[in-house]
Amino acid sequence: MKYSCPRLILLLLAVGSVAVQMLKTSQKHCTSNPVCLCIPTGKSTYTADCSYLGLKQVPRTRPDVVILQLQHNNVTSLSSSFSSTLIHLDLSYNQIHNFADDVFLNLTRLTTLNLEGNKLQLDENIYQPSVFQDLKALRLLNIKKNSIQSKNEFPSGMWRHLSSLQILKIDATPSVYFGPEFRLLTSLTTLDVSGVTGFCNIKVIRDNFFENMPHLEVIDVSSCDLRSFAAGALTSQTNMTVLDISYNEELTFDSFANITYDLQFSNIKVFKANKIHCSFGIGSMIKVRDIMHFRNTSLEEVYLDDNRLALVEKHVLTYLPTSLRIVSIAKNRMVIGPYLLDIITLSGVETFDMSFQYYSHEFRDATEVFSCHNPIRPYENVVEIMTPKQKLLSMKFSGTDNNVTITLPRNLTNVNLSRCSIRLNIFRIVVRPSNQVSRMDVSQNIIPSFVGPVVGLNQVKYVDLSQCLCSSITPYFFDFASSLEILKLGSNRLGFSLKDDVNGAIFKKLVNLQELDLSDNRIQELPAKIFKNLRSIRRIKLNSNYLTEWNVDINHMLNLSVIDLSENLLSKLSHHATQSFSNLLKRNKSSQILLGNNSFVCTCDSVPFIQWSSKQRSHILDFHHMRCKLDNGTIVGFRDIEFVLQFLDFHCRDYKLVIFIAISVIIVFLIVTVTGLIYRYRWKLRYLFYMTRNKFRLYSPISQDTYMFDAFISYAEEDSAFAIHESISQLEDARGLKLCLSNRDFRPGTEIAANITEAISKSRKTIIILSNHFLNSYWCMFEFNMARMESIYTRNGNDVMFLIMYRQVSAKTLPLSMLALVESRSYIEYPDDPRANVVFWDKVAETCVQPARL
């Protein structure tokens, strides 16, 4: 059969996929039990993890499995052999009570065997001489926490084949003895009989206890209920580098001299003697004779924690070797005393731990009061025992009482004075500049004021002053700490001091600071420039304070990666704050902000902040722990921020534009309406205005039947010849009427409008000399409209005006109000004919003297 190229490619891909799937399946099940996990440990080797599965039988493994983990199952016995390829076998915490003598047959590559936590009796019935015969490569054997008998010897035959064993972890009874068979363990370097990790109840270590194990380097007899340690027990351990006798509460310092004497013949590097005194009772004392032989050793680390040390013989520290790098006397009852004067002799010390002095033990330790008793040591050889009254004598005062000069070991780098019962203010302290201190922990003491400055710690990078109940810090306290990188000031009361630092003086010299912890300091507000010099800062913790707003300038912090503002009283972040944080996130996309557990409110004013939070949620580390309160008091989480934004969008829509437009429309409508009304009634308004003003000027009202003038002649200036000469000669001289003419009868000094309205109101009639000039004259039209208003509002609708058509006027040019008079025939045309003039003037005179018509 022939295949086309595309089909052939598809076929090859399918075959490859099946092969890969089969390979994965085979890798997944590398034991006979498919529930075990198969984990690659190299290119072609695997780990079979069958732990915590409740198995009752040991599964078979493939040859490529080198590690088998069967811990925490229900296996009761071992009868079948394991794969010879195994290197590590963990059978701990099962129910194994026996196994066949050939169970470990062919395990020639096995290096680690863990049988801890089973029910295997440590006797020859279980551990037969041939049981470990093939374990030629075994390096670690752990048989702790098994059933143990009170025999004084271990099974002798089981050790003969373990010449490669390096680490032995085994339980021990009071009468235990490591017999001659242990000399066969020529590679054994670590012996762990500790009761911390198993069962140990030795009580007494005799001078021959370790004689058959001369190659030991690490001996752990901690928590073995030791009561005494014989002299010479360790003289054979010339290779020993680590000795741990900790947690033997009744051993006490009485056996110390025996132990330290033997150590001078060893290669001891680490000595641990923590809690070798009862937790309760009188304080213990350390003497020169206890540690004098240390000076003949190359000891590097010594641990004397939790020993109720309260008394120290003078010059004890001078007997410690110069090779010493770590000294730990934590959890004792020490105070700063004269013995510290000798610390300068420890030129090699790098770490000094004096933390947790006067440490309060847990309540469960109180049972030791009735079961643990330490004898009182005699005082016969004690020289100048330190008492609490002598504290601070180790400090050499110079200048005033507030100036202290201290000399430290030249290699000291780490000082731990945490919770060591310091109760004083930190005034000016000068440390000799030869020191190398880089880390200092003075936390959990009582230091009301950080006054300073502290001079001489030129290389310090880490300082912990947290939980010191400090409420005051001066602007110059850190003036000589420019090398500082991590500063912890949490859980103090520095809120008031920081609030007044408007120019950032407190932290001005900390130009290399990378981490600042000001959490739990009752800070209510911070000045904008308080951190202005922290240009290298990477992390700022201000959580658990009382901040109500955030206006601190962070734009200069180019390396800032974490800022913690959680657990404050922030109701929102201002636009300035969100803009600063946005700029920070643009500069450093991996930056994170913590804002959880604040008092955020979801109101219309906080919508921009909530929108910003939603946009930056990937950078807000505790975004889903943020909550806010709605106006109705409901608490909602930011995990439902889309709902919150929709809710606020509905309730906070901006109606300002709509309201502005509506008000504008109303105002325009009112303006147009009022303007229209004013325009429509403009003549009425003007008439009423002038009539009212005339009234208040005490012009006498005219009776309806009595007028000062028979007629007021209204004319244009261009028609004055006719209006004045003709009307006077024809109406006054010839017919006896009294006319009112503007050029003759208007009162000088009075407004024209006032004269017009007064003349109209005092005249029975207003004669309009109508012409095109009249229509074009403002005052003529004013007189016309005032006369019209007079007839409507004062004469009760009686006709006041009488129009004389002096010149022919087109109807198109007449105003509507005047056109109505023309159409109602309330006018007469001037005939301009001598014969008809007599009749014309008779009609005019008749109209002027007749009562007005309705």
Side-chain angles (χ1 to χ4, degrees):
M1 180 181 291
K2 296 182 179 180
Y3 293 97
S4 62
C5 185
R7 291 184 177 180
L8 182 60
I9 293 174
L10 291 175
L11 179 62
L12 291 174
L13 290 175
V15 172
S17 176
V18 171
V20 171
Q21 188 65 33
M22 292 177 64
L23 180 61
K24 289 183 177 179
T25 303
S26 64
Q27 290 176 357
K28 181 178 180 181
H29 304 302
C30 56
T31 68
S32 59
N33 194 326
V35 299
C36 297
L37 295 178
C38 191
I39 305 170
T41 58
K43 293 182 178 179
S44 59
T45 57
Y46 300 90
T47 295
D49 187 355
C50 304
S51 58
Y52 296 92
L53 295 177
L55 302 181
K56 295 183 178 180
Q57 293 182 345
V58 177
R60 294 187 304 275
T61 61
R62 286 196 328 229
D64 54 0
V65 174
V66 296
I67 300 175
L68 177 58
Q69 296 178 341
L70 279 165
Q71 64 268 31
H72 294 278
N73 283 292
N74 296 318
V75 178
T76 57
S77 63
L78 301 176
S79 58
S80 60
S81 60
F82 296 91
S83 172
S84 62
T85 59
L86 289 178
I87 296 177
H88 301 283
L89 177 60
D90 190 345
L91 293 166
S92 59
Y93 297 97
N94 279 273
Q95 304 296 321
I96 303 172
H97 59 273
N98 61 35
F99 44 70
D101 58 354
D102 62 347
V103 68
F104 301 118
L105 191 66
N106 297 324
L107 293 181
T108 57
R109 299 175 58 189
L110 193 69
T111 60
T112 302
L113 177 59
N114 191 350
L115 295 170
E116 180 181 342
N118 283 283
K119 298 181 178 180
L120 294 166
Q121 288 283 353
L122 194 59
D123 57 36
E124 293 183 352
N125 294 326
I126 303 298
Y127 294 97
Q128 298 182 20
S130 62
V131 67
F132 293 147
Q133 65 179 352
D134 285 345
L135 303 185
K136 305 296 185 181
L138 194 66
R139 302 286 186 271
L140 187 152
L141 176 61
N142 185 353
I143 53 178
K144 279 178 170 285
K145 295 184 179 179
N146 276 273
S147 299
I148 187 168
Q149 295 179 345
S150 58
K151 295 175 63 176
N152 59 356
E153 294 183 5
F154 295 113
S156 58
M158 62 181 290
W159 310 109
R160 69 179 61 178
H161 304 291
L162 300 178
S163 59
S164 297
L165 190 66
Q166 296 177 355
I167 302 174
L168 176 61
K169 298 184 177 183
I170 194 169
D171 294 328
T173 61
S175 59
V176 69
Y177 174 63
F178 295 95
E181 65 273 12
F182 280 90
R183 287 190 174 272
L184 300 173
L185 305 180
T186 56
S187 299
L188 187 64
T189 59
T190 300
L191 177 64
D192 178 3
V193 293
S194 172
V196 176
T197 57
F199 171 78
C200 183
N201 189 18
I202 299 176
K203 295 188 182 299
V204 177
I205 291 184
R206 298 177 175 85
D207 56 358
N208 63 345
F209 192 84
F210 300 108
E211 66 178 358
N212 293 314
M213 294 180 288
H215 306 293
L216 290 178
E217 296 178 5
V218 178
I219 298 177
D220 188 350
V221 289
S222 60
S223 190
C224 284
D225 199 22
L226 290 177
R227 308 296 174 88
S228 65
F229 210 108
L234 298 172
T235 54
S236 62
Q237 304 305 313
T238 57
N239 297 318
M240 184 174 58
T241 59
V242 178
L243 175 63
D244 191 349
I245 60 171
S246 303
Y247 307 108
N248 292 291
E249 289 86 349
E250 296 188 62
L251 182 60
T252 72
F253 286 116
D254 283 341
S255 297
F256 228 60
N258 294 340
I259 298 172
T260 58
Y261 176 83
D262 290 349
L263 291 181
Q264 64 182 326
F265 304 106
S266 70
N267 193 27
I268 191 70
K269 301 295 181 184
V270 179
F271 178 58
K272 295 182 179 181
N274 299 327
K275 197 172 174 44
I276 60 172
H277 271 261
C278 300
S279 298
F280 299 89
I282 62 173
S284 62
M285 175 181 57
I286 190 166
K287 301 180 181 181
V288 169
R289 70 182 185 187
D290 296 332
I291 57 108
M292 62 184 298
H293 299 292
F294 273 151
R295 62 184 172 182
N296 300 322
T297 70
S298 298
L299 190 66
E300 295 181 358
E301 301 179 21
V302 60
Y303 300 89
L304 300 174
D305 301 347
D306 203 5
N307 281 306
R308 295 188 64 82
L309 270 174
L311 302 176
V312 178
E313 191 173 7
K314 191 175 181 181
H315 302 313
V316 160
L317 296 183
T318 62
Y319 287 88
L320 294 174
T322 57
S323 60
L324 202 61
R325 296 186 298 105
I326 299 175
V327 176
S328 180
I329 53 173
K331 295 183 180 180
N332 284 291
R333 299 177 62 84
M334 308 293 289
V335 292
I336 299 175
Y339 63 93
L340 290 179
L341 287 171
D342 296 328
I343 198 172
I344 188 63
T345 63
L346 304 178
S347 59
V349 170
E350 298 174 2
T351 299
F352 180 73
D353 188 352
M354 193 179 165
S355 60
F356 288 87
Q357 300 302 312
Y358 289 87
Y359 170 76
S360 296
H361 291 78
E362 297 183 12
F363 179 74
R364 64 172 179 265
D365 294 333
T367 56
E368 294 182 6
V369 173
F370 307 100
S371 61
C372 183
H373 303 283
N374 296 148
I376 300 176
R377 303 188 74 188
Y379 288 78
E380 67 275 6
N381 293 324
V382 176
V383 180
E384 296 187 23
I385 297 175
M386 183 273 302
T387 64
K389 293 182 180 180
Q390 294 172 304
K391 63 182 178 178
L392 292 180
L393 291 180
S394 64
M395 298 182 180
K396 182 180 179 182
F397 289 89
S398 62
T400 66
D401 291 342
N402 293 335
N403 293 326
V404 180
T405 300
I406 300 176
T407 303
L408 298 176
R410 62 174 181 268
N411 291 317
L412 186 63
T413 59
N414 184 5
V415 180
N416 189 350
L417 299 176
S418 173
R419 195 175 171 181
C420 68
S421 300
I422 295 177
R423 291 175 174 82
L424 48 82
N425 294 319
I426 298 181
F427 291 100
R428 178 179 174 86
I429 297 177
V430 178
V431 183
R432 298 295 183 186
S434 59
N435 73 88
Q436 304 292 323
V437 175
S438 62
R439 183 183 179 92
M440 180 166 287
D441 188 347
V442 197
S443 61
Q444 301 186 66
N445 287 288
I446 300 178
I447 307 175
S449 298
F450 297 152
V451 181
V454 179
V455 183
L457 296 176
N458 301 324
Q459 300 187 48
V460 67
K461 298 183 183 301
Y462 177 100
V463 171
D464 190 346
L465 293 169
S466 58
Q467 302 185 56
C468 287
L469 299 177
C470 181
S471 58
S472 175
I473 183 170
T474 63
Y476 47 83
F477 184 74
F478 295 114
D479 275 3
F480 298 90
S482 59
S483 62
L484 197 60
E485 295 180 358
I486 298 176
L487 175 59
K488 295 182 178 294
L489 293 169
S491 299
N492 282 292
R493 303 294 181 264
L494 298 176
F496 292 105
S497 293
L498 298 178
K499 179 183 66 174
D500 299 328
D501 188 18
V502 294
N503 294 318
I506 294 176
F507 306 113
K508 64 181 178 181
K509 295 298 181 65
L510 304 183
V511 293
N512 294 307
L513 193 66
Q514 298 182 14
E515 181 176 336
L516 175 61
D517 184 357
L518 288 170
S519 60
D520 189 20
N521 266 281
R522 300 186 181 183
I523 302 172
Q524 298 180 352
E525 59 179 301
L526 287 173
K529 297 182 179 180
I530 188 169
F531 302 139
K532 68 177 183 179
N533 292 306
L534 302 185
R535 299 188 178 277
S536 301
I537 196 73
R538 295 179 181 274
R539 184 182 183 93
I540 298 177
K541 293 186 65 177
L542 284 160
N543 55 294
S544 304
N545 281 293
Y546 302 143
L547 288 170
T548 57
E549 59 181 356
W550 177 257
N551 295 314
V552 177
D553 184 13
I554 61 172
N555 291 321
H556 61 287
M557 300 178 182
L558 302 181
N559 300 315
L560 186 61
S561 59
V562 177
I563 181 167
D564 190 350
L565 296 176
S566 60
E567 299 183 46
N568 277 279
L569 300 178
L570 296 170
S571 60
K572 65 174 183 178
L573 292 181
S574 65
H575 174 72
H576 172 75
T578 56
Q579 189 63 41
S580 296
F581 286 135
S582 296
N583 294 336
L584 166 66
L585 299 177
K586 288 179 182 178
R587 294 193 304 267
N588 189 352
K589 297 187 182 299
S590 62
S591 295
Q592 295 177 329
I593 305 170
L594 286 88
L595 294 170
N597 295 322
N598 271 283
S599 303
F600 294 126
V601 294
C602 288
T603 62
C604 298
D605 292 338
S606 61
V607 168
F609 162 65
I610 299 173
Q611 292 174 336
W612 176 85
S613 301
S614 177
K615 182 179 178 181
Q616 303 293 348
R617 67 176 69 186
S618 61
H619 295 283
I620 301 176
L621 194 59
D622 54 353
F623 177 81
H624 293 295
H625 295 284
M626 294 172 63
R627 294 175 176 81
C628 65
K629 182 185 290 186
L630 300 174
D631 286 336
N632 59 8
T634 304
I635 305 295
V636 293
F638 273 42
R639 63 176 64 249
D640 302 319
I641 197 166
E642 285 76 15
F643 163 77
V644 174
L645 288 172
Q646 290 177 1
F647 175 83
L648 293 176
D649 179 64
F650 177 78
H651 287 275
C652 303
R653 287 177 180 174
D654 193 357
Y655 295 100
K656 294 179 180 178
L657 181 60
V658 176
I659 294 172
F660 175 76
I661 293 174
I663 293 175
S664 299
V665 169
I666 293 172
I667 291 175
V668 170
F669 174 76
L670 291 175
I671 290 174
V672 171
T673 302
V674 171
T675 303
L677 291 172
I678 292 174
Y679 181 79
R680 181 176 180 182
Y681 297 103
R682 64 190 182 282
W683 296 112
K684 176 182 177 182
L685 295 173
R686 296 177 75 175
Y687 172 76
L688 293 175
F689 171 73
Y690 287 111
M691 290 301 295
T692 302
R693 194 166 67 171
N694 290 340
K695 179 179 179 182
F696 281 101
R697 288 182 177 179
L698 302 178
Y699 295 148
S700 301
I702 304 298
S703 173
Q704 187 175 357
D705 299 327
T706 304
Y707 294 93
M708 186 179 295
F709 304 102
D710 291 309
F712 168 63
I713 307 299
S714 178
Y715 59 90
E717 187 65 30
E718 289 80 1
D719 301 326
S720 59
F722 167 76
I724 297 174
H725 299 297
E726 291 292 331
S727 61
I728 290 176
S729 62
Q730 295 294 335
L731 295 177
E732 279 193 344
D733 296 341
R735 291 173 176 79
L737 298 178
K738 187 174 182 180
L739 302 177
C740 181
L741 298 169
S742 59
N743 62 340
R744 186 188 66 184
D745 298 308
F746 277 12
R747 294 191 297 172
T750 303
E751 292 182 65
I752 297 175
N755 275 320
I756 292 172
T757 53
E758 184 181 2
I760 292 172
S761 64
K762 292 184 178 181
S763 302
R764 184 178 287 110
K765 289 287 185 178
T766 297
I767 297 175
I768 304 298
I769 310 299
L770 188 58
S771 66
N772 287 323
H773 298 298
F774 186 92
L775 296 175
N776 294 329
S777 173
Y778 170 80
W779 288 113
C780 289
M781 293 304 297
F782 182 83
E783 292 168 351
F784 166 76
N785 283 291
M786 289 298 102
R788 187 165 59 87
M789 294 301 104
E790 177 77 12
S791 63
I792 296 172
Y793 298 105
T794 304
R795 307 291 176 91
N796 297 321
N798 294 328
D799 195 1
V800 173
M801 290 187 296
F802 181 72
L803 272 66
I804 296 176
M805 192 71 70
Y806 179 60
R807 295 284 187 263
Q808 192 65 34
V809 179
S810 174
K812 294 180 180 181
T813 60
L814 293 175
L816 293 177
S817 56
M818 189 175 290
L819 185 59
L821 289 175
V822 172
E823 290 177 350
S824 65
R825 298 293 179 182
S826 297
Y827 74 97
I828 184 172
E829 293 184 2
Y830 180 65
D832 198 14
D833 183 357
R835 290 178 294 178
N837 284 349
V838 176
V839 178
F840 168 78
W841 290 111
D842 286 341
K843 289 183 178 181
V844 173
E846 181 181 356
T847 302
C848 291
V849 298
Q850 288 181 351
R853 295 174 295 171
L854 295 175

